[in-house]
Structure formats: structure tokens, C-alpha cells
Amino acid sequence: MYVGLAWHFWNTRWRGTEARRGLRAWERAAILAPLALHGWLLYDGIFARELRFGFAQALSVMMFLGVALYWVESLIYDVEGMQPLVLPLAAVAVPLPALFPGLASAGAHANATAFKVHLALAMIAYSLFIIALLHATLMAVVERRLHQKGSFFAGLPPLLTLEQLLFRVIGTAFVFLTLTLITGIAFSETLFGRALRADHKTVFAVLSWLTFGLLLAGRVLYGWRGRTALRWTLSGFMMLLFAYVGSRFVLEVLLHRA
């Protein structure tokens, strides 16, 4: 369903000759159908039996929230053209938990409220940064289209609109990432007796936080935009991806540890 919708939006938004604005009622309802099924599959796979949350589940949750955030965002802002970017990624993420089920999370901390709050904040931050990265990618597409002739990409929103939305999303995501680090420090203090552990997950998370902080500061102080924003967004997101998903992939797939 995700793939079929992505193909529809590619043909009507990116390849269409008419500039359309906003989702039609049937399109908005059609997105909710696979989104609801995706959410049910995640709940059944993660919480229904025993807590099982590895890199595959994390990626699937990120894209589920990414589609949900796009859907809500489209109610308020002009984000035409995002659909052919976010929907195929969600389609790829859906079967990952079945292919890489991972190992069950052991220990009392898996059911601790502090851990669940930390995990929820982290997934929201990740999802918002995915949306930010897709916004930056769409900006690059629109910017390139401005130097080309023809009506291709006629349905995409103005570059200035995308730029404003990009930094609003990054700013919101940065707040959630900050809360994720704060709750992670508190949880680590409770579980391990140390506020920060010098492992690569912590290092990459802090580096990502610094990268996005510098990007926001550069926007305010120096007016960073365009390709500069895209490079910083991509760099920060890759560090964030290595922080949890990368570490979980190594543990589960390569080392076979929970």
C-alpha cells in the first residue's frame, strides 16, 4: 500500500504538469490505511509478548512516526512532494522486524517507566530528524529544478517555504533530542551509577546534538541555508543513526547479543 501510494504521488506531484496543493480527501484517508496496519504490526511485534526492540524495530518505528508526522504536518503546511520520499522508506521499513526479529530485551529496566519515556523521546527525535532530512532533500530537488526548463516538478512547493519548514522541524527535533539525552543521563545514573558512559552510542549521540546545535546557531548568526543546511542535516542524522541503530545492528546481527 505504501509503494502504491508513493507511485501515485510521484506521478501526480513530481511528474504532473499541474501544480496541485494539498491532499485530496481520498488521498489523506488512503495514507491512514497502511499507517494503521503498520502501527498494529509494530505493537504486536514489540509489546504483545515480550519487549523486543532492536535496530529493525527502531527503523520501522521511525518511519511509522515519520509518515504520521508528515500526515499531521500536511494539515498545517504546504509539504507537497514529500510523499514520494517518505512512503517508499516506510515500505522498506515495514518488513524489517520480520527479517531481523532481534533478541528479547532482558532485565527489569526494560519495563521501567524511565526507560520507556527515554525510548519514546528518542524515537520522536529520530522521526523528526528523518522528516528534516527529507525536507532538505526536497529543497535540493526544488533548487535544481529552478535551473531547468520545463514543467517537471510543477507541483512542488516554493523553496523558501521548504526552507522555513526545514528549520522549524530541526528546531523541534533538537528539543526532543535534548530531552532524550537528559532522560538518558538520568536513566544511566539510576541503572549504572554513572551519568554518562563513554561508549560509542553516547559519543555519537552527543556529536549529533552538537552538530544540529551548530546548524541552528549558524542559521541564526550566518544565515546558513540550501546545500549547507543539507550537508549539516545529513551529517547530524548519520551520527544519530550510528548512535542507536548502528550499535544495535552490531550487537544483534554480528554479535547475537541482546
Side-chain angles (χ1 to χ4, degrees), residues 6-255:
W7 179 254
H8 162 73
F9 285 114
W10 162 263
N11 283 318
T12 57
R13 268 49 171 196
W14 282 38
R15 297 185 63 186
T17 57
E18 296 181 3
R20 297 183 180 182
R21 289 290 177 264
L23 293 174
R24 296 174 178 176
W26 75 265
E27 291 174 333
R28 189 172 295 282
I31 293 175
L32 286 179
L35 185 65
L37 181 58
H38 191 178
W40 177 80
L41 288 171
L42 286 172
Y43 176 81
D44 183 68
I46 296 174
F47 299 108
R49 300 168 186 87
E50 54 186 351
L51 182 63
R52 187 178 293 269
F53 197 86
F55 85 95
Q57 289 84 357
L59 287 173
S60 192
V61 169
M62 288 177 212
M63 291 316 307
F64 166 77
L65 291 175
V67 176
L69 289 170
Y70 155 74
W71 193 89
V72 173
E73 186 184 30
S74 68
L75 293 171
I76 306 171
Y77 302 111
D78 177 11
V79 287
E80 287 300 324
M82 283 284 290
Q83 307 94 338
L85 295 176
V86 69
L87 293 175
L89 292 177
V92 172
V94 168
L96 286 180
L99 298 174
F100 302 96
L103 301 174
S105 297
H109 72 274
N111 294 317
T113 302
F115 175 75
K116 292 180 179 179
V117 170
H118 170 69
L119 194 61
L121 290 171
M123 290 301 100
I124 294 173
Y126 268 95
S127 304
L128 284 167
F129 280 123
I130 287 176
I131 294 296
L133 182 61
L134 295 181
H135 271 294
T137 302
L138 191 58
M139 282 176 57
V141 170
V142 173
E143 186 177 11
R144 184 177 181 182
R145 185 256 178 189
L146 292 176
H147 302 288
Q148 297 175 345
K149 296 181 179 180
S151 57
F152 194 57
F153 304 149
L156 300 189
L159 185 60
L160 183 60
T161 300
L162 288 174
E163 184 177 284
Q164 292 173 343
L165 289 176
L166 170 65
F167 283 98
R168 287 176 184 173
V169 173
I170 291 177
T172 304
F174 184 74
V175 172
F176 276 96
L177 181 57
T178 303
L179 294 174
T180 300
L181 291 176
I182 292 173
T183 55
I185 290 172
F187 181 68
S188 179
E189 179 71 31
T190 301
L191 187 63
F192 304 109
R194 287 181 294 173
L196 286 174
R197 302 176 68 197
D199 53 17
H200 77 279
K201 181 172 69 173
T202 302
V203 170
F204 276 117
V206 173
L207 286 176
S208 176
W209 182 82
L210 291 173
T211 299
F212 284 113
L214 288 172
L215 172 58
L216 292 173
R219 167 69 171 179
V220 174
L221 298 176
Y222 306 108
W224 288 355
R225 57 189 303 178
R227 294 182 181 178
T228 301
L230 176 60
R231 286 194 293 266
W232 280 80
T233 302
L234 180 59
S235 299
F237 181 75
M238 291 305 297
M239 292 178 189
L240 195 59
L241 203 61
F242 289 146
Y244 183 82
V245 176
S247 64
R248 296 305 303 178
F249 177 83
V250 172
L251 287 173
E252 295 169 23
V253 179
L254 301 183
L255 301 180

